[in-house]
Amino acid sequence: MCGIVAYVGSKVARPILLEGLKRLEYRGYDSAGIAVLTGGKLHVARRVGRVANLQEAIEGQAAFDGSLGLCHTRWATHGGVTDFNAHPHTDDRHGIALVHNGIIENYAALKTYLQEKGHSFSSQTDTEVLVMLIGELYEGDLEKAVQAALREVTGAYAICVICEKEPGVLVCARKGSPLMVGIGSDNEYVVASDGAAIIAHTGRVVMLDDYNVVKMDAGGFRTTDIHNTPLSPRVQQLEIELEQIELGGFTHFMLKEIFEQPKSVRACISGRLDMREGRVVLGGLSSFAKELTKARRVVITAQGTALHAAMIGRYMLEDLAKIPTQTEYASEFRYRNPVIEENTVVIAVSQSGETADTLAALHEAKERGALALGVVNVVGSSIARETDAGVYLRVGPEIGVASTKAFIGQVTVLSLISMYMARKRFMSADQCLDLMKEMEAIPGKIERILEQAGRIKRITEKYVERENWLFLGRGYNYPTALEGALKLKEISYIHAEGMPAAEMKHGPIALINEGMPAVFIANRGRQYEKVMSNIQEVRSRGGHVIAVATEGDTEIAKHVQDVMYVPDVCEPLSPILTVVPLQLMAYYAAVARGHDVDKPRNLAKSVTVE
Ligand code: F6R
């Protein structure tokens, strides 16, 4: 949440900052701001709305042509969406400007202290308190003032700071919120919340750890902790390419990412299926093979879409590996005093690897003695670094705020983990081989579904004016129903509920009226007949049924209004196919309703606050 970019070097900072900021807009897009030091003077502009508004506001102004600057795109936490609350914030004494992602939890007490010292505030933000505190502690050395201020704050932060009195110096720091320093040639640095804003300039980065403070200037960079102890950071290569973060001819990143899914699954399984031995190879887990064999319980924790993937993972772990498994909202798990017995494995599932609640749940689990595994997409992210071991999704950067290819990657990885653990217990090589063959065929099957995009669009457009939808599924496809409803809600703002198809009779059936769309996941499987009965229950009350069914099932078309077909597949892997038409439906509904698909209202990609 919130995106930060800062630059120091010999070039004009503005285009680097604004281009970078546009690439981070998916992290928040309430308002944007920039501060540049030009001719020894700080120039600041802030605007409600998108980065494009800000760009227009400073167009042609030479005051923003300096080579040291920082900028920010905001997802509001403290204080409404106004120009005054937008970042950067400045102090009232030394010409210090700061951008911040996170929450300063003790800001109220610090604000009272600073007011007593004579500082006056112009915003309602916690961030302005932090920059005033740095100003209060400033004695001619920005790095020291930042370290001193950070010793006083509690909460989470990724910050970049500049000061009129030190024209070539950029200082940044992190605790809890992501930040990385891109190292260009000739002492040029681009600092950003994620690599998307850096990769056009350099692939060499330092990922900051908690409590790291980095000072950059023409003489190089140095890293310390907040007590000024020097540290030796590891320089690493960014694992993204420019074309992965560009639209490449698609109208939206969400559509691009839906169409990338065959490639995502191929990347995800590549080198992980040993067809000769009938086993799954997961290098990331190999040093914990013994612990995984002994595991008596698995807890999978996540939020949102990642939790829906986790729920499918639970079904697979119990069904295939026979290990008692539970899923937990990370936000609940972290506070509810969970019981973690010996030999419990906790798996944190997260696209970004930065979700605050999932990270905190992971800490909780580790403290209670669990083996902590990560199923993460972003390489080097906080969750990836703090788990004992893990398996990356390898689906590439996901830019669309509504998660699609990461969901497919999460389900794929969880199925690989289930097969891996199953083989260590009861599953024979032949059984595993059968599943792996099904897995290998998945990308081609997703391609077949994508070929029907035009038909799915036409079906969606028939119902797009309806304000209430139901999504119903059973077994492995109950979580798929939840995911279908979430996708529709978040980008088309249509109210949708997902639930187990059998649960409908226990209350929600009262909602069904003439023409209400009910999307049933009715692919062939153990509960097919039961789902068909549930379909009749909806039909007899006037609901309109849209079914996701298995290719060749011509019978179902006689009982429902519309059918979207998916190829046949074994049940555990079926959600990887059945979710695709639902993603496309949500996309086409949002487009038909005229919404900004990649930047839905009130949302941000990476939820780094509680
Ligand atoms: C919905 C969506 C969110 C995320 C959730 C967790 O489309 O993207 O529900 O799944 O915020 O995010 P990660 O996976 O980054 O932990």
Side-chain angles (χ1 to χ4, degrees):
M1 266 162 170
C2 299
I4 290 176
V5 191
Y7 174 84
V8 61
S10 54
K11 300 191 183 116
V12 174
R14 170 178 19 195
I16 297 168
L17 295 176
L18 292 178
E19 276 314 304
L21 204 57
K22 280 186 194 157
R23 293 198 191 282
L24 298 191
E25 243 187 331
Y26 69 89
R27 302 178 68 89
Y29 30 85
D30 295 341
S31 49
I34 185 168
V36 176
L37 213 74
T38 308
K41 277 256 154 266
L42 194 64
H43 300 274
V44 180
R46 299 180 292 180
R47 286 291 179 281
V48 165
R50 301 285 162 85
V51 175
N53 288 3
L54 175 71
Q55 187 166 19
E56 207 181 296
I58 61 170
E59 192 76 54
Q61 290 187 36
F64 289 91
D65 282 347
S67 6
L68 171 67
L70 37 79
C71 59
H72 185 270
T73 179
R74 180 170 186 243
W75 188 88
T77 54
H78 290 63
V81 180
T82 63
D83 287 352
F84 277 126
N85 287 335
H87 300 210
H89 288 283
T90 50
D91 84 319
D92 53 358
R93 292 187 185 159
H94 307 288
I96 298 173
L98 173 144
V99 287
H100 169 218
N101 169 23
I103 292 182
I104 305 302
E105 284 164 4
N106 59 339
Y107 81 101
L110 290 170
K111 191 167 184 173
T112 309
Y113 161 79
L114 289 162
Q115 280 165 333
E116 281 164 12
K117 291 265 181 188
H119 297 273
S120 58
F121 291 81
S122 58
S123 80
Q124 295 124 22
T125 65
D126 52 331
T127 303
E128 193 181 13
V129 174
L130 179 55
V131 72
M132 288 290 188
L133 182 63
I134 294 172
E136 172 64 25
L137 300 171
Y138 184 76
E139 290 175 349
D141 185 331
L142 186 62
E143 182 194 29
K144 285 209 166 66
V146 169
Q147 290 165 339
L150 295 181
R151 291 197 292 270
E152 303 302 323
V153 305
T154 56
Y157 53 79
I159 55 168
C160 291
V161 198
I162 57 176
C163 175
E164 241 174 38
K165 293 178 178 164
E166 296 176 53
V169 176
L170 170 62
V171 177
C172 68
R174 130 177 196 151
K175 191 215 149 199
S177 301
L179 200 64
M180 59 181 83
V181 174
I183 305 165
S185 46
D186 300 330
N187 291 325
E188 175 186 65
Y189 302 94
V190 185
V191 182
S193 311
D194 99 32
I198 295 178
I199 191 66
H201 309 286
T202 176
R204 296 177 66 229
V205 294
V206 170
M207 310 258 190
L208 268 62
D209 284 322
D210 280 353
Y211 302 109
N212 282 183
V213 178
V214 184
K215 176 186 178 181
M216 292 145 277
D217 59 24
F221 77 103
R222 74 173 210 126
T223 310
T224 58
D225 64 13
I226 57 173
H227 302 285
N228 201 28
T229 311
L231 302 168
S232 313
R234 189 166 72 89
V235 178
Q236 50 185 288
Q237 197 61 31
L238 266 180
E239 290 192 20
I240 53 173
E241 283 156 29
L242 205 51
E243 63 158 35
Q244 291 179 306
I245 52 172
E246 285 176 343
L247 275 169
F250 282 89
T251 39
H252 295 99
F253 280 107
M254 183 181 176
L255 191 64
K256 178 182 181 229
E257 288 158 5
I258 291 173
F259 273 81
E260 268 173 16
Q261 291 180 126
K263 191 169 121 202
S264 307
V265 176
R266 282 190 190 104
C268 190
I269 60 177
S270 166
R272 289 172 168 168
L273 306 181
D274 178 348
M275 303 307 269
R276 277 206 351 226
E277 300 285 327
R279 65 187 182 110
V280 167
V281 182
L282 297 172
L285 302 188
S286 56
S287 25
F288 289 92
K290 228 197 279 151
E291 286 82 347
L292 290 171
T293 311
K294 282 196 309 198
R296 297 187 43 191
R297 195 160 72 100
V298 175
V299 179
I300 319 180
T301 187
Q303 296 287 145
T305 286
L307 186 75
H308 300 153
M311 290 167 81
I312 297 165
R314 171 190 168 198
Y315 280 53
M316 291 192 282
L317 275 163
E318 295 204 330
D319 194 11
L320 306 177
K322 314 279 179 250
I323 304 175
T325 304
Q326 71 197 66
T327 50
E328 293 263 2
Y329 282 108
S331 54
E332 293 298 315
F333 180 78
R334 63 181 292 193
Y335 287 120
R336 72 165 181 79
N337 205 6
V339 176
I340 300 283
E341 306 124 329
E342 221 181 313
N343 297 326
T344 297
V345 176
V346 172
I347 307 179
V349 182
S350 173
Q351 187 286 128
S352 62
E354 301 293 347
T355 299
D357 282 317
T358 311
L359 189 57
L362 182 71
H363 290 156
E364 192 62 40
K366 280 179 80 170
E367 232 157 68
R368 288 167 191 252
L371 171 67
L373 305 184
V375 171
V376 171
N377 192 33
V378 178
V379 176
S381 56
S382 302
I383 294 176
R385 284 188 285 169
E386 294 191 30
T387 40
D388 297 311
V391 183
Y392 279 120
L393 307 185
R394 300 187 189 151
V395 300
E398 190 178 64
I399 312 282
V401 167
S403 188
T404 52
K405 66 175 180 176
F407 174 78
I408 290 233
Q410 286 156 353
V411 177
T412 305
V413 166
L414 287 166
S415 67
L416 294 175
I417 293 177
S418 305
M419 290 186 232
Y420 179 88
M421 291 180 78
R423 273 293 273 131
K424 297 207 168 296
R425 292 156 180 259
F426 320 97
M427 190 182 266
S428 68
D430 283 347
Q431 281 171 313
C432 192
L433 198 60
D434 287 346
L435 276 169
M436 291 195 299
K437 282 185 190 151
E438 292 260 12
M439 182 67 95
E440 276 192 319
I442 290 274
K445 291 183 177 178
I446 300 177
E447 274 155 13
R448 272 177 26 215
I449 303 171
L450 295 174
E451 283 163 15
Q452 300 173 53
R455 183 178 140 70
I456 294 170
K457 177 170 182 278
R458 284 192 295 280
I459 294 175
T460 308
E461 284 168 356
K462 289 204 303 202
Y463 301 98
V464 79
E465 300 303 330
R466 307 297 302 207
E467 291 299 336
N468 294 294
W469 293 45
L470 283 181
F471 285 77
L472 300 147
R474 297 176 82 122
Y476 278 104
N477 282 297
Y478 150 50
T480 319
L482 295 179
E483 178 58 8
L486 176 60
K487 286 286 92 76
L488 191 69
K489 275 186 269 209
E490 65 181 330
I491 57 169
S492 65
Y493 318 148
I494 292 171
H495 173 242
E497 286 198 43
M499 69 192 74
E503 179 63 13
M504 185 185 57
K505 284 198 287 287
H506 300 276
I509 199 163
L511 291 170
I512 293 172
N513 56 16
E514 199 55 41
M516 179 177 185
V519 181
F520 272 87
I521 298 127
N523 57 313
R524 284 212 193 281
R526 280 172 286 191
Q527 302 204 52
Y528 176 76
E529 302 302 335
K530 307 266 180 226
V531 174
M532 287 307 287
S533 306
N534 298 137
I535 287 178
Q536 299 307 341
E537 289 152 14
V538 170
R539 286 296 311 274
S540 54
R541 285 161 183 84
H544 281 193
V545 175
I546 306 155
V548 177
T550 307
E551 277 175 6
D553 182 358
T554 46
E555 179 61 23
I556 198 166
K558 299 177 192 154
H559 304 279
V560 303
Q561 267 79 10
D562 288 286
V563 192
M564 303 181 290
Y565 284 107
V566 298
D568 199 10
V569 66
C570 66
E571 235 180 312
L573 301 183
S574 64
I576 307 179
L577 300 186
T578 52
V579 78
V580 178
L582 308 187
Q583 296 169 337
L584 285 168
M585 279 196 105
Y587 173 77
Y588 290 124
V591 171
R593 289 168 78 108
H595 299 316
D596 187 345
V597 174
D598 285 333
K599 298 187 187 70
R601 72 181 177 210
N602 304 336
L603 290 176
K605 183 76 184 156
S606 168
V607 185
T608 52
V609 294
E610 278 185 52

